[in-house]
Amino acid sequence: MKEIKYGVLLDFYGELLTKKQQQALDLYYNEDYSLLEIGEHLNISRQGVFECIKKGAEHLETYEAVLHLYEKEVAKEETKAEILQVISSCDEAVKNRIAALLEHL
């Protein structure tokens, strides 16, 4: 299975990649295209697609290592889930208000 993480990293850092890397990674991770299909779409060889995806993924990992946006997003979602679990015993109105506030984070 292709990693969902790279689709999310692409959302965060995609604009920092070349257009060809953006397209190749999007088609590979988000659209589930094969290397051959991407090559046909971008008019490059299968090996060219492989290299493009490899380099693009390396850049995404580098950006994440510096900026930690994915890591922060995962931590935020875990905190939201924990808060929702804790408030499950609260009054329904309070629970609904807190849940609504969490959606804004």
Side-chain angles (χ1 to χ4, degrees), residues 21-33:
Q21 287 172 337
Q22 286 177 34
Q23 291 175 315
L25 288 166
D26 180 55
L27 292 171
Y28 188 71
Y29 289 110
N30 294 332
E31 303 299 327
D32 202 31
Y33 278 37

Side-chain angles (χ1 to χ4, degrees), residues 62-97:
T62 300
Y63 300 141
E64 177 59 17
V66 173
L67 300 171
H68 307 287
L69 296 179
Y70 177 79
E71 181 182 315
K72 290 173 185 174
E73 183 66 22
V74 169
K76 183 173 75 173
E77 292 302 318
E78 289 172 353
T79 302
K80 283 178 167 182
E82 188 175 341
I83 290 169
L84 289 172
Q85 183 179 3
V86 169
I87 67 168
S88 64
S89 62
C90 290
D91 173 80
E92 196 65 30
V94 172
K95 185 175 13 176
N96 290 338
R97 179 65 181 140

